[in-house]
C-alpha cells in the first residue's frame, strides 16, 4: 500500500477545502466503521453483491440440472461447448467471465433486459430532478444507490453517509436576474434543465419503442408494425435527436471545465449513437423494400430481409444503451468509486473519487464543482461506465436464440461484438493503470482520446465487421482487400462464414 501511494502521488501537492465526509481508516474496527465513520454501509454493499452473485449462480446451476433431468434442454456443458464451437468468442479467460458474470444474468428476452435497464437507470437519474426542485441546486445524489444502505445502517444503529456525491452548483436564487452572470448557478440552471428533461424523455420513449416493438401496440401484426414505425418517427427518434443535441450543447458549453480528452469521450459516444440509429433505420428500410416484392421475393432475398430486420433491432438496442450512458452507468460507477475511495487516504481519494476532487475546486479559486484538475477520476468513471455498457450488450447478444446471438441462425454480429470485448477490456485495464501514474499524464491524455475513438465507436466496428463477414472469398476488389486487412487487424478469423472450423 505504501509503494502504491508513493507511485500515485509522486511529485504531487494536493490543495483541499474542508470535506465533510470522513476519511475512513480500515475494516479493522467495527465500532469506528459503525459509530464514527459510517463505512459499514460499504460492507453491506459488498455482502449484498456477493450474495446476489452466489444466488444467481446457484439458481442457474439448479435450474439447468433440473431441466436436463427432465430432458427439456441440453446440459450446461453441452450448451457451452456448442457456443464455443460456433463462435470461439468465449475461450480463455473470457470463458470464465462468461460463466461467472454473464450466463447467470442472461434474461429470457430482450424486452425484459431493456425493462430492467430502464427501471434502474430511471431511479438513479430522477433524484437529480428532485434535488433541483426541493433543494434549489444541481447535484448528483446517490439516493437510489446509497439510500437503501443508509436505511439498513440506521436499523443496525450505525451512522449513515451523505448521499451527495458531486455538487455542481450552489443554491439557485428564487429571483434570478434577467441576465445572470456566466457560470453562475442561475445561468447553468437553464442548461441543466434542458439536458435532464431531454435525457429522461429519451430514456422513457426509447424504452417504450423497444419494449413494445414485438407485440405491445396491437394484436394485429400489420397494425403493430405500422404503429411501431409511426411512434419511432414521431416520438422516439425526435427525442433521441433532442437528447443528443442537448448533450452536445452541454459538452461544448462545458460548465464544469472538462479537458478535451474527457469531452472526446462524449463526442465519440454521440457520434456512435447517431451512426447506430442511422444504420438501423437504413437496415429496416432495405428489409421493407425487399418484403414489398411479396410473392416475387426469392428465398435468398427473404433470408436477407430477415437478417436486415435482426440487424435493425441489434443496432437500435445498442444505440439506446450507448446514448443513455450518462443516466445510469455513470451514476452507478461513480457510486462504486465513491465507496471504494472512502478507504483510501484523502490524497488518493482525489485521484479516484471525482466528487472529492471537484469539491476541492473552491480551494483553488475555481468554480464550485469544477473538474478542470480532476480528469483522472472522471476518466476512471467513464471507462468503468463503458465496461458496464459492454456487460449489458454482452447480455443482449447472449439471450438464447435471439437476433445476433451466438446460437442464432445469423450469429455474425454477436461474434463481432465479442471480438470488440476481447480487445476493449484489456485496453481499458491497461489505460486505467497508465492514467493513474502522474508522470505519464501528458501521454495518457493523448491515449485517452485515441482510446475513446477505438472503444466508443461501436457502430463503426459493427459496420466494418458486418461487411467483412458477408464478402465472398473470390471477390478481389479494392474494397474487399481493405475489409480483409481490417479484419486481420481487428477480428478473429472465425468471423468469416466460410472460414474453417476446428
Amino acid at each position: 500500500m505504501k509503494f502504491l501511494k508513493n507511485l500515485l502521488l509522486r511529485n504531487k501537492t494536493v490543495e483541499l477545502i474542508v470535506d465533510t465526509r470522513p476519511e475512513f481508516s480500515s475494516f479493522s474496527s467495527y465500532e469506528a466503521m459503525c459509530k464514527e465513520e459510517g463505512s459499514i454501509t460499504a460492507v453491506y454493499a459488498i455482502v449484498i453483491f456477493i450474495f446476489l452473485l452466489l444466488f444467481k449462480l446457484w439458481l442457474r446451476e439448479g435450474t439447468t440440472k433440473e431441466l436436463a433431468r427432465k430432458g427439456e434442454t441440453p446440459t450446461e456443458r453441452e450448451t457451452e461447448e456448442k457456443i464455443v464451437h460456433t463462435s470461439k468468442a468465449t475461450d480463455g479467460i473470457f470463458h470464465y467471465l462468461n460463466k461467472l458474470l454473464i450466463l447467470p444474468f442472461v434474461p429470457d428476452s430482450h424486452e425484459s433486459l431493456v425493462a430492467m435497464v430502464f427501471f434502474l437507470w430511471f431511479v438513479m437519474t430522477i433524484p437529480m430532478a428532485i434535488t433541483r426542485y426541493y433543494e434549489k441546486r444541481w447535484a448528483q445524489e446517490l439516493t437510489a444507490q446509497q439510500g437503501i444502505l443508509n436505511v439498513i445502517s440506521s436499523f443496525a444503529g450505525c451512522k449513515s453517509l451523505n448521499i451527495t456525491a458531486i455538487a455542481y452548483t450552489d443554491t439557485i436564487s428564487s429571483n434570478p436576474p434577467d441576465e445572470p452572470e456566466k457560470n453562475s448557478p442561475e445561468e447553468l440552471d437553464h442548461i441543466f434543465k434542458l439536458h435532464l428533461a431531454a435525457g429522461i424523455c429519451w430514456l422513457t420513449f426509447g424504452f417504450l419503442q423497444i419494449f413494445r416493438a414485438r407485440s405491445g401496440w396491437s394484436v394485429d401484426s400489420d397494425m403493430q408494425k405500422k404503429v411501431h414505425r409511426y411512434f419511432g418517427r414521431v416520438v422516439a427518434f425526435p427525442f433521441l435527436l433532442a437528447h443528443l443535441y442537448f448533450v452536445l450543447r452541454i459538452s461544448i458549453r462545458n460548465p464544469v471545465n472538462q479537458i478535451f480528452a474527457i469531452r472526446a469521450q462524449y463526442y465519440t459516444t454521440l457520434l456512435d449513437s447517431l451512426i447506430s440509429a442511422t444504420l438501423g433505420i437504413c437496415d429496416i428500410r432495405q428489409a421493407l423494400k425487399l418484403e414489398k416484392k411479396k410473392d416475387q421475393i426469392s428465398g435468398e432475398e427473404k433470408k436477407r430481409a430477415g437478417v436486415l430486420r435482426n440487424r435493425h433491432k441489434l443496432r437500435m438496442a445498442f444505440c439506446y444503451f450507448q446514448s443513455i450512458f450518462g443516466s445510469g452507468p455513470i451514476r452507478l460507477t461513480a457510486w462504486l468509486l465513491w465507496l471504494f475511495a472512502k478507504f483510501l487516504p484523502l490524497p488518493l481519494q482525489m485521484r479516484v473519487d471525482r466528487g472529492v476532487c471537484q469539491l476541492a475546486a473552491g480551494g483553488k479559486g475555481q468554480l464550485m464543482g469544477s473538474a478542470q484538475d480532476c480528469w483522472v477520476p472522471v476518466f476512471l468513471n467513464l471507462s468503468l461506465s463503458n465496461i458496464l455498457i459492454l456487460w449489458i450488450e454482452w447480455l443482449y447478444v447472449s439471450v438464447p436464440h435471439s437476433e445476433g446471438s451466438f446460437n442464432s441462425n445469423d450469429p455474425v454480429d454477436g461474434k463481432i461484438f465479442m471480438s470488440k470485448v476481447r480487445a476493449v477490456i484489456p485496453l481499458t485495464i491497461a489505460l486505467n493503470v497508465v492514467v493513474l501514474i502522474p508522470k505519464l499524464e501528458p501521454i495518457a491524455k493523448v491515449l485517452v482520446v485515441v482510446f475513446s475513438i477505438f472503444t466508443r465507436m461501436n457502430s463503426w466496428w459493427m459496420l466494418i465487421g458486418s461487411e467483412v463477414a458477408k464478402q465472398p472469398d473470390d471477390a478481389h476488389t479494392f474494397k474487399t482487400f481493405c475489409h480483409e486487412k481490417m479484419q486481420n487487424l481487428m477480428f478473429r478469423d472465425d468471423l468469416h462464414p466460410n472460414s474453417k472450423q476446428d
Side-chain angles (χ1 to χ4, degrees), residues 87-160:
S87 69
K88 295 184 180 180
T90 54
D91 56 350
I93 190 174
F94 293 92
H95 165 75
Y96 298 101
L97 288 176
N98 187 55
K99 187 172 182 179
L100 181 65
L101 299 178
I102 301 299
L103 295 180
F105 298 94
V106 174
D108 295 331
S109 66
H110 290 146
E111 289 78 9
S112 59
L113 175 62
V114 173
M116 177 189 69
V117 168
F118 164 73
F119 173 76
L120 292 176
W121 290 182
F122 186 85
V123 298
M124 291 182 191
T125 306
I126 203 65
M128 195 170 190
I130 297 173
T131 300
R132 167 61 185 88
Y133 183 81
Y134 286 102
E135 299 185 16
K136 308 300 181 185
R137 65 187 179 95
W138 289 100
Q140 186 178 127
E141 303 284 354
L142 300 174
T143 308
Q145 303 97 301
Q146 185 65 28
I148 183 65
L149 299 178
N150 283 350
V151 172
I152 297 174
S153 182
S154 64
F155 284 157
C158 296
K159 187 177 180 180
S160 299

Side-chain angles (χ1 to χ4, degrees), residues 3 28 48 68 78 131 140 146 158 161 176 186 192 250 280 282 378 396 443 446 456 459 483:
F3 168 78
S28 59
I48 291 173
E78 290 172 344
T131 300
Q140 186 178 127
Q146 185 65 28
C158 296
L161 296 180
E186 292 74 24
F192 276 111
I250 200 170
C282 291
V378 173
Y396 188 93
I443 190 173
V446 177
R456 292 286 190 178
S459 55
H483 284 159

Side-chain angles (χ1 to χ4, degrees), residues 5-34:
K5 181 178 178 180
N6 293 335
L7 177 65
L8 298 181
L9 299 178
R10 188 178 299 162
N11 299 327
K12 285 288 175 179
T13 57
V14 181
E15 297 177 72
L16 293 172
I17 60 172
V18 176
D19 182 7
T20 55
R21 290 170 291 180
E23 178 183 348
F24 296 155
S25 53
S26 66
F27 289 94
S28 59
S29 172
Y30 175 83
E31 185 68 20
M33 294 174 64
C34 175

Side-chain angles (χ1 to χ4, degrees), residues 10 86 118 167 291 303 338 341 402 458:
R10 188 178 299 162
T86 56
F118 164 73
E291 291 171 349
K303 182 180 179 181
W338 179 77
S402 63
N458 179 71

